[in-house]
């Protein structure tokens, strides 16, 4: 969908169809007709009046969430028609232009790579009508377009199947992203992991025919305000390993690379937006498979920081990959201001907070609170999950420094976060946030502006969070 900003008189703008956002039915022009159609000004309510060329869509509140969902609902309807152009009057809700642009571009996304039918995209255009075409509004459109493109890039990667997207492919894609955004990209294979004592990550990928890759992107603008490191879980497939997943739980595990995809796409967005922060993106791209060479429950692994890990379940592999990636980040990059990790880490997080929401964990209460606020402002849902001393004890091991699973069924998202805390160095404890995106990263049944498949969770909230960091 093409987006155009215009400040011409609304009536004079030619278009095939008009989208009308309705908050109060009393004020709607076609009130009677709409009432007869039992249309209500509620979120996701939508009617197409073909004869008069109008799409009416309801919204309940004047905020990002409600308006992004409203325009997405209208855009989805528009897409079912053969009309080429639509216009929408935004003069009363110009403060929410970001929501309108992102709602439009995120709802227009479709993934057709594996469809054999004609995949030529319809060329449709949406004209956003504002009172004045100011530089501020134009910048909002430009920036929101970059952010939406980044989300859609993450979705494309997540949706690509494990046969076409394995660690070496992820590394190539990272190089392409880096080239397009004019940022640095280093890729390290298994020899490097071995030489650098990253045997926790290395063990997870051992049974795979694909070589594990450590990807490191860096964006270093002049006069950067802060130095931020983003670390992503890039499990291009998670079969569970020898602690094999049941068949029904293995389906969708191509999405276990979502954290890594979010990191790559966020780096692209930050560079394209030209934000004044030095940002590093580190992704552990690994495939968790079975085979004679597979790592096993009972193994004891040594991570890069020298800590030993008792493996009791090979399906708790993401934390093993992240452990070494977090150490690598802290060893390689000096004077870090913030370190954030992104991972589809636990089913427990989905059970606990639902499939729409990310879990936010860490040791710094204020930083966690600010992460939640940034997420909500960006249009993503997130909530904090608190650590405590008793849950910390549940990952103690009899024979190693720490165990990769807890001795309790409860609090699985938090005990996974507490495992990661073992690999955050003392000086960085307060600078770290762990985002468990297992719920929202992959959409089984479409919601809002998210079609089935990868959602690009993490990208919008991280851009917003980074932008807020100099104020703190
Ligand atoms: N990738 C999964 C977590 C996951 C589950 C992501 C569902 C998205 C949807 C992770 O590697 C995993 O398998 N975790 C286990 C941990 C358990 C063995 C302690 C889980 O959540 O069951
Ligand atoms: Zn797993
Ligand atoms: Zn996993």
């Amino acid at each position: 969908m093409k987006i155009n900003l215009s400040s011409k008189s609304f009536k004079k703008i030619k278009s095939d169809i008009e989208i009308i956002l309705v908050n109060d039915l009393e004020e709607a022009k076609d009130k009677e007709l709409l009432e007869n159609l039992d249309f209500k000004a509620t979120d996701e309510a939508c009617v197409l009046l073909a004869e008069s060329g109008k799409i009416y869509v309801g919204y309940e509140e004047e905020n990002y969430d409600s308006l992004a969902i409203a325009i997405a609902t209208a855009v989805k309807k528009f897409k079912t028609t053969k009309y080429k152009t639509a216009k929408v009057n935004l003069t009363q809700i110009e403060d929410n232009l970001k929501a309108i642009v992102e709602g439009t571009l995120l709802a227009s996304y479709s993934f057709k790579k594996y469809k054999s039918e004609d995949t030529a995209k319809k060329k449709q255009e949406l004209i956003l009508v504002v009172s004045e075409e100011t530089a501020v509004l134009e910048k909002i459109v430009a920036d929101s377009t970059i952010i939406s493109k980044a989300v859609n890039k993450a979705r494309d990667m997540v949706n690509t199947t494990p046969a076409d997207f394995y660690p070496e492919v992820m590394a190539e894609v990272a190089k392409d992203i880096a080239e397009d955004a004019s940022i640095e990209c280093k890729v390290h294979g298994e020899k490097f992991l071995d030489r650098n004592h990253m045997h926790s990550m290395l063990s997870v990928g051992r049974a795979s025919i694909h070589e594990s890759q450590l990807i490191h992107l860096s964006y270093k603008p002049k006069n950067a305000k802060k130095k931020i490191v983003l670390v992503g879980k890039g499990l291009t497939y998670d079969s569970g390993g020898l602690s094999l997943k049941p068949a029904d739980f293995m389906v969708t595990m191509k999405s276990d690379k979502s954290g890594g995809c979010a990191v790559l796409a966020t780096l692209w967005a930050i560079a394209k937006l030209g934000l004044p922060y030095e940002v590093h993106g580190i992704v552990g791209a690994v495939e968790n498979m079975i085979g004679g060479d597979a790592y096993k429950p009972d193994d004891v692994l040594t991570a890069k920081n020298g800590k030993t890990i008792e493996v009791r379940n090979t399906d708790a592999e993401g934390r093993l990959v992240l452990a070494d990636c977090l150490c690598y980040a802290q060893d390689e990059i000096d004077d870090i201001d913030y370190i954030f990790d992104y991972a589809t880490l636990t089913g427990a997080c989905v059970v606990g907070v639902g499939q729409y929401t990310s879990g936010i964990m860490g040791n710094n209460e204020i930083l966690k609170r600010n992460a939640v606020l940034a997420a909500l402002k960006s249009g993503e849902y997130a909530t904090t999950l608190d650590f405590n001393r008793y849950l910390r004890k549940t990952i103690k091991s009899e024979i190693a420094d720490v165990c990769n699973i807890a001795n309790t069924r409860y609090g699985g998202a938090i005990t996974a976060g507490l495992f990661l805390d073992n690999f955050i160095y003392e000086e960085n404890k307060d600078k770290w946030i762990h985002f468990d995106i297992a719920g929202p990263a992959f959409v089984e049944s479409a919601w809002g502006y998210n079609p089935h498949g990868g959602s690009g969770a993490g990208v919008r909230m991280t851009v917003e969070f980074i932008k807020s960091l100099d104020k703190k």
Side-chain angles (χ1 to χ4, degrees):
M1 182 93 32
K2 210 171 156 251
I3 282 188
N4 264 318
L5 202 61
S6 171
S7 59
K8 286 191 197 144
S9 145
F10 190 72
K11 276 190 189 151
K12 286 189 186 148
I13 296 172
K14 282 203 187 115
S15 75
D16 300 323
I17 200 150
E18 180 183 343
I19 291 172
I20 303 164
L21 302 163
V22 190
N23 181 231
D24 182 0
L25 200 54
E26 292 303 316
E27 287 172 15
K29 261 194 198 152
D30 297 296
K31 181 176 173 256
E32 234 171 81
L33 178 58
L34 290 172
E35 269 173 356
N36 284 331
L37 290 170
D38 202 20
F39 174 85
K40 305 235 164 48
T42 51
D43 287 345
E44 292 177 90
C46 183
V47 288
L48 166 66
L49 305 180
E51 276 183 22
S52 54
K54 286 175 185 160
I55 293 172
Y56 275 98
V57 65
Y59 70 95
E60 286 163 33
E61 283 169 71
E62 213 176 302
N63 59 26
Y64 184 106
D65 207 32
S66 223
L67 283 161
I69 291 170
I71 198 72
T73 308
V75 162
K76 282 188 271 180
K77 183 68 87 184
F78 177 36
K79 277 183 69 177
T80 65
T81 71
K82 288 200 167 165
Y83 296 124
K84 289 266 184 314
T85 52
K87 61 178 177 181
V88 57
N89 189 347
L90 302 178
T91 51
Q92 301 305 310
I93 50 160
E94 277 174 22
D95 287 352
N96 283 290
L97 186 59
K98 179 177 164 69
I100 298 293
V101 175
E102 293 177 5
T104 302
L105 297 177
L106 297 180
S108 312
Y109 175 85
S110 61
F111 184 70
K112 298 269 173 60
K113 185 177 163 79
Y114 300 107
K115 292 279 188 192
S116 58
E117 269 176 31
D118 178 25
T119 55
K121 275 192 183 158
K122 275 197 232 166
K123 286 201 178 78
Q124 289 181 305
E125 182 187 344
L126 178 62
I127 306 163
L128 308 179
V129 185
V130 290
S131 45
E132 215 186 322
E133 275 168 75
T134 62
V136 172
L137 291 183
E138 270 163 10
K139 181 157 168 52
I140 291 174
V141 173
D143 287 0
S144 306
T145 303
I146 290 172
I147 292 167
S148 308
K149 276 189 181 165
V151 173
N152 289 340
K153 265 182 201 298
R155 288 169 165 186
D156 273 343
M157 289 187 255
V158 172
N159 289 334
T160 305
T161 62
D164 292 334
F165 202 103
Y166 40 87
E168 297 94 326
V169 175
M170 195 161 192
E172 286 308 311
V173 171
K175 285 181 194 162
D176 292 346
I177 286 176
E179 198 183 325
D180 186 44
S182 308
I183 58 179
E184 278 173 48
C185 178
K186 280 189 277 185
V187 171
H188 302 295
E190 290 182 354
K191 270 193 190 142
F192 176 95
L193 299 179
D194 188 25
R195 261 190 279 122
N196 286 274
H197 317 289
M198 299 174 72
H199 287 104
S200 181
M201 170 168 169
L202 198 52
S203 301
V204 174
R206 217 166 54 206
S208 169
I209 58 165
H210 300 296
E211 185 179 348
S212 299
Q213 308 284 321
L214 178 73
I215 301 163
H216 182 171
L217 299 186
S218 24
Y219 165 64
K220 297 176 178 169
K222 282 193 187 113
N223 306 322
K225 293 187 205 172
K226 300 276 179 201
K227 200 188 279 187
I228 300 153
V229 189
L230 312 178
V231 178
K233 169 177 174 183
L235 261 288
T236 59
Y237 201 72
D238 180 13
S239 68
L242 290 178
S243 313
L244 197 63
K245 285 185 183 293
D248 288 351
F249 287 72
M250 209 184 292
V251 184
T252 74
M253 278 303 132
K254 66 174 182 182
S255 69
D256 214 21
K257 57 187 180 290
S258 298
C261 297
V263 167
L264 298 182
T266 303
L267 258 287
W268 182 87
I270 301 280
K272 288 282 176 186
L273 292 167
L275 297 185
Y277 300 86
E278 178 171 329
V279 186
H280 293 259
I282 289 157
V283 176
V286 182
E287 191 183 53
N288 186 19
M289 297 298 284
I290 55 171
D293 196 26
Y295 82 123
K296 304 167 190 72
D298 285 353
D299 279 345
V300 172
L301 315 175
T302 307
K304 192 174 191 299
N305 65 346
K307 281 208 182 181
T308 55
I309 307 165
E310 179 191 0
V311 177
R312 291 180 74 92
N313 190 316
T314 61
D315 197 12
E317 83 302 332
R319 61 196 77 182
L320 300 175
V321 172
L322 285 177
D324 273 340
C325 289
L326 287 166
C327 293
Y328 168 89
Q330 296 167 97
D331 291 340
E332 286 300 305
I333 305 161
D334 303 329
D335 303 321
I336 294 172
D337 289 306
Y338 296 102
I339 177 163
F340 307 143
D341 74 75
Y342 301 82
T344 47
L345 206 60
T346 64
C349 194
V350 195
V351 173
V353 303
Q355 70 269 47
Y356 310 103
T357 304
S358 294
I360 291 184
M361 285 156 260
N363 301 301
N364 181 333
E365 292 304 321
I366 297 171
L367 195 61
K368 282 192 287 180
R369 177 65 21 217
N370 288 332
V372 172
L373 294 176
L376 298 178
K377 190 173 172 208
S378 80
E380 293 196 40
Y381 302 138
T383 188
T384 52
L385 297 172
D386 291 348
F387 292 162
N388 65 55
R389 66 173 78 230
Y390 300 105
L391 283 174
R392 198 180 287 277
K393 287 184 198 164
T394 68
I395 50 171
K396 284 195 169 157
S397 164
E398 294 287 340
I399 68 157
D401 297 335
V402 64
C403 182
N404 84 325
I405 56 166
N407 63 14
T408 165
R409 301 198 294 131
Y410 306 116
I414 299 172
T415 51
L418 284 165
F419 176 90
L420 297 180
D421 181 55
N422 279 278
F423 303 91
I424 300 295
Y425 302 168
E426 224 36 68
E427 65 273 23
N428 295 325
K429 289 284 183 202
D430 274 351
K431 304 176 181 173
W432 167 64
I433 296 272
H434 160 55
F435 294 89
D436 192 333
I437 59 168
F442 196 81
V443 175
E444 284 271 37
S445 174
W447 51 275
Y449 35 76
N450 294 305
H452 169 88
S455 71
V459 175
R460 283 179 300 155
M461 67 177 171
T462 305
V463 171
E464 197 62 52
F465 191 28
I466 289 178
K467 277 165 70 181
S468 76
L469 288 175
D470 54 323
K471 293 178 206 139
K472 304 286 148 48

